[in-house]
Amino acid sequence: MISLLQELVRTPSPSREEGAVADFLEGWLRRRGLAPRRCGNNLWCSSGSGPAVLLDAHIDTVRPVAGWTRDPYSASLEGGRLYGLGANDDGASVVALISAFERLTARPQGYTLVLSLSAEEEDSGPNGLETVLPEIEAECGPIVLGLFGEPTSLKMAVAEKGLMVLDCSVKGVAGHAARELGVNAIYEALPAIEWFRSKRFERVSPLLGPVKMSVTQIEAGTQHNVIPDVCRFVVDVRSNGLYSNEELLALIEAEAPCMVVPRSTRLCGSSLAEDHPLVQRAKALGIPLVGSPTLSNQALCRFPSVKMGPGASERSHTADEFVDVADIGKAAELYFELLDGYENLGQRI
């Protein structure tokens, strides 16, 4: 598995340019006796029958930042660490999930296991997992559980924040700044900005806390001597897994004293109940349960899911990214122990 990860690192695969690494992985999987299907630069395999369980990790990376002190594509091994762009995020999870998939499908299971190696995760692009899910469900049936490989220090993230970006505006009336004319849209927008700063939603997640809304950009006016007739501002909304983006949008539209236009509601938060069988199995295995503030492909899915994998989230997108080699084997073993003989899937749809 380590040599496979090295080849992944050596093959540049920035988001929306994953063709070369998808070609490599497709050939590698076929040589292992698997039959991957391909949709764009996404690959997936399935085995078994019964309710569908999805294993997903992404094959794309961000672009290297300026601070690298070594070749980001060298995939060098030093002191038990493998350095390289995408080694931590998300190549280590890719190879660990492949290993677990091969091991799990070598023996009968009471479900259909689907391995998905997806593109365009890092920029939430339109041609990633979202395009493949309908194909998977058409062949395998509805997915009842998802396990997303991401760097979580081998902890299980049972809750993940979602994202919604809002374009807001408040209107005024233009006038000459030297006269007592016009209605200043900036001043009119202040109560709306304060509403976003102070609004508290009722449901608070024990792992992710409250819904967080932040005004992050503001724009108004054409020149210094004209009273602005419109003030526009952007709000970053981070949901906590206890509200869908659609629910939050309806509440915001009903209460906020401004016009609100969402850019998208597709990146939802998620939360898996403590009594879910997979969570109970994780507890039995001594896997710590956490919440995750960062987005993953979970945000595109409406079925129960968790996120777990080798590597550390804080090392993602950093210079001299690395993964501890020993953690890859540990992750593959944990994936296997979590899902081997897993039953009662249909009870949690």
Side-chain angles (χ1 to χ4, degrees), residues 60-96:
D60 62 318
T61 72
V62 296
R63 296 185 184 276
V65 295
W68 278 85
T69 63
R70 45 173 55 83
D71 180 355
Y73 303 109
S74 66
S76 57
L77 282 167
E78 302 173 30
R81 294 175 172 177
L82 196 156
Y83 288 85
L85 182 64
N88 177 78
D89 184 16
D90 194 31
S93 290
V94 169
V95 300

XYZ file of all heavy atoms in Angstrom, residues 60-96:
267
model
N -8.164 13.925 -5.654
C -7.631 15.230 -6.036
C -6.917 15.882 -4.861
O -7.069 15.475 -3.711
C -8.740 16.148 -6.549
C -9.790 16.444 -5.489
O -10.186 15.505 -4.762
O -10.222 17.604 -5.377
N -6.124 16.889 -5.167
C -5.409 17.654 -4.146
C -5.591 19.147 -4.413
O -6.047 19.555 -5.480
C -3.898 17.354 -4.164
O -3.303 17.950 -5.342
C -3.619 15.861 -4.162
N -5.208 19.943 -3.428
C -5.029 21.367 -3.678
C -3.715 21.536 -4.433
O -2.956 20.581 -4.614
C -5.004 22.161 -2.355
C -6.342 22.067 -1.641
C -3.872 21.682 -1.451
N -3.430 22.745 -4.864
C -2.135 23.022 -5.494
C -1.097 23.319 -4.412
O -1.440 23.806 -3.331
C -2.255 24.195 -6.478
C -3.185 23.862 -7.649
C -3.219 24.962 -8.684
N -4.184 24.638 -9.742
C -3.933 23.870 -10.796
N -2.715 23.351 -10.924
N -4.856 23.607 -11.691
N 0.178 23.033 -4.668
C 1.189 23.245 -3.626
C 1.340 24.721 -3.267
O 1.328 25.585 -4.136
C 2.471 22.693 -4.257
C 2.221 22.682 -5.730
C 0.752 22.466 -5.904
N 1.454 24.986 -1.965
C 1.679 26.342 -1.496
C 3.160 26.688 -1.646
O 3.995 25.824 -1.921
C 1.223 26.499 -0.034
C -0.288 26.302 0.073
C 1.958 25.522 0.880
N 3.485 27.962 -1.435
C 4.850 28.440 -1.704
C 5.876 27.960 -0.687
O 7.080 27.972 -0.964
C 4.858 29.963 -1.753
N 5.429 27.507 0.492
C 6.374 27.224 1.567
C 7.027 25.862 1.554
O 7.781 25.531 2.482
N 6.791 25.043 0.532
C 7.400 23.709 0.508
C 8.927 23.807 0.510
O 9.507 24.599 -0.241
C 6.941 22.947 -0.732
C 5.590 22.299 -0.576
C 4.376 22.879 -0.773
C 5.338 20.958 -0.177
N 3.368 21.979 -0.526
C 3.932 20.783 -0.162
C 6.154 19.875 0.161
C 3.324 19.579 0.193
C 5.549 18.670 0.509
C 4.150 18.533 0.530
N 9.567 22.984 1.347
C 11.036 22.949 1.389
C 11.587 21.721 0.678
O 12.795 21.536 0.605
C 11.539 22.951 2.839
O 11.083 21.758 3.505
C 11.027 24.176 3.589
N 10.719 20.860 0.183
C 11.099 19.668 -0.570
C 10.181 19.579 -1.786
O 9.178 20.285 -1.858
C 10.994 18.397 0.294
C 9.695 18.368 1.085
C 9.465 17.067 1.826
N 10.502 16.634 2.724
C 10.679 17.038 3.963
N 9.856 17.971 4.460
N 11.632 16.554 4.713
N 10.510 18.747 -2.720
C 9.666 18.555 -3.895
C 8.328 17.973 -3.444
O 8.273 16.885 -2.864
C 10.360 17.589 -4.865
C 9.549 17.333 -6.130
O 8.403 17.817 -6.236
O 10.073 16.623 -7.015
N 7.203 18.679 -3.676
C 5.912 18.172 -3.197
C 5.484 16.866 -3.851
O 4.570 16.198 -3.357
C 4.947 19.307 -3.529
C 5.610 20.115 -4.577
C 7.075 20.003 -4.324
N 6.143 16.487 -4.958
C 5.788 15.258 -5.659
C 6.838 14.162 -5.505
O 6.802 13.154 -6.205
C 5.570 15.557 -7.148
C 4.503 16.605 -7.381
C 4.849 17.881 -7.821
C 3.162 16.329 -7.157
C 3.874 18.845 -8.032
C 2.181 17.293 -7.362
C 2.545 18.549 -7.799
O 1.574 19.508 -7.993
N 7.765 14.337 -4.567
C 8.852 13.366 -4.428
C 8.414 12.099 -3.704
O 9.027 11.041 -3.875
C 10.025 13.994 -3.686
O 9.663 14.298 -2.348
N 7.390 12.181 -2.854
C 6.910 11.027 -2.081
C 8.054 10.376 -1.300
O 8.207 9.154 -1.284
C 6.237 10.008 -2.998
N 8.839 11.194 -0.622
C 10.004 10.680 0.093
C 9.600 10.096 1.446
O 8.708 10.593 2.132
C 11.021 11.809 0.310
O 10.436 12.897 1.019
N 10.284 9.014 1.825
C 10.095 8.370 3.121
C 11.221 8.780 4.051
O 12.403 8.581 3.741
C 10.078 6.850 2.963
C 8.794 6.218 2.439
C 9.035 4.767 2.046
C 7.688 6.306 3.485
N 10.856 9.363 5.181
C 11.860 9.830 6.129
C 11.353 9.564 7.544
O 10.327 10.115 7.949
C 12.128 11.331 5.953
C 12.592 11.740 4.571
C 12.676 13.253 4.410
O 12.931 13.939 5.418
O 12.464 13.739 3.284
N 12.073 8.719 8.275
C 11.738 8.494 9.673
C 10.311 8.041 9.919
O 9.667 8.499 10.874
N 9.813 7.157 9.093
C 8.462 6.644 9.287
C 7.372 7.545 8.764
O 6.178 7.261 8.966
N 7.734 8.608 8.076
C 6.766 9.533 7.491
C 6.914 9.556 5.976
O 8.028 9.484 5.456
C 6.958 10.949 8.032
C 6.655 11.094 9.513
C 6.990 12.491 10.003
N 6.538 12.692 11.374
C 6.751 13.809 12.071
N 7.419 14.823 11.508
N 6.300 13.914 13.304
N 5.790 9.670 5.299
C 5.806 9.830 3.853
C 5.397 11.267 3.551
O 4.288 11.695 3.885
C 4.842 8.850 3.184
C 5.029 8.643 1.676
C 4.461 7.294 1.243
C 4.353 9.754 0.852
N 6.318 12.010 2.923
C 6.085 13.411 2.600
C 5.612 13.556 1.158
O 6.082 12.853 0.269
C 7.375 14.223 2.783
C 7.778 14.444 4.217
C 8.522 13.492 4.908
C 7.408 15.608 4.885
C 8.901 13.688 6.227
C 7.792 15.816 6.214
C 8.527 14.859 6.865
O 8.892 15.062 8.181
N 4.711 14.478 0.935
C 4.280 14.767 -0.423
C 2.889 15.363 -0.453
O 2.072 15.140 0.448
N 2.626 16.117 -1.497
C 1.323 16.740 -1.660
C 0.244 15.670 -1.805
O 0.327 14.807 -2.676
C 1.333 17.647 -2.895
C 0.044 18.411 -3.193
C -0.274 19.392 -2.071
C 0.164 19.150 -4.517
N -0.755 15.712 -0.940
C -1.828 14.741 -0.980
C -1.555 13.474 -0.198
O -2.425 12.601 -0.122
N -0.374 13.334 0.391
C -0.089 12.135 1.184
C -1.046 12.046 2.369
O -1.604 10.987 2.670
C 1.355 12.157 1.668
N -1.242 13.167 3.039
C -2.131 13.246 4.192
C -3.579 13.438 3.760
O -4.493 12.799 4.284
C -1.655 14.408 5.075
C -2.523 14.663 6.290
O -2.438 13.961 7.285
N -3.349 15.696 6.217
N -3.782 14.290 2.786
C -5.127 14.666 2.331
C -5.212 14.558 0.817
O -4.901 15.510 0.119
C -5.435 16.093 2.802
C -6.839 16.559 2.479
O -7.690 15.709 2.168
O -7.076 17.777 2.529
N -5.569 13.373 0.235
C -6.294 12.351 0.949
C -5.770 10.971 0.549
O -6.473 9.979 0.641
C -7.777 12.494 0.605
C -8.724 11.740 1.511
O -8.401 11.575 2.695
O -9.776 11.330 1.031
N -4.499 10.934 0.089
C -3.964 9.685 -0.439
C -3.907 8.560 0.576
O -4.159 7.399 0.240
N -3.584 8.880 1.832
C -3.499 7.833 2.847
C -4.849 7.150 3.039
O -4.930 5.926 3.199
C -3.009 8.432 4.165
N -5.925 7.932 3.008
C -7.256 7.341 3.133
C -7.613 6.525 1.897
O -8.278 5.480 1.998
C -8.299 8.429 3.359
O -8.176 9.013 4.634
N -7.186 6.986 0.719
C -7.451 6.235 -0.513
C -6.894 4.829 -0.404
O -7.596 3.837 -0.630
C -6.867 6.968 -1.741
C -6.890 6.061 -2.976
C -7.637 8.253 -2.034
N -5.614 4.704 -0.045
C -4.995 3.379 -0.033
C -5.514 2.533 1.126
O -5.655 1.308 1.006
C -3.454 3.470 -0.019
C -2.956 4.213 -1.250
C -2.931 4.125 1.241
N -5.829 3.156 2.274
C -6.367 2.399 3.399
C -7.755 1.849 3.078
O -8.080 0.706 3.429
C -6.414 3.267 4.651
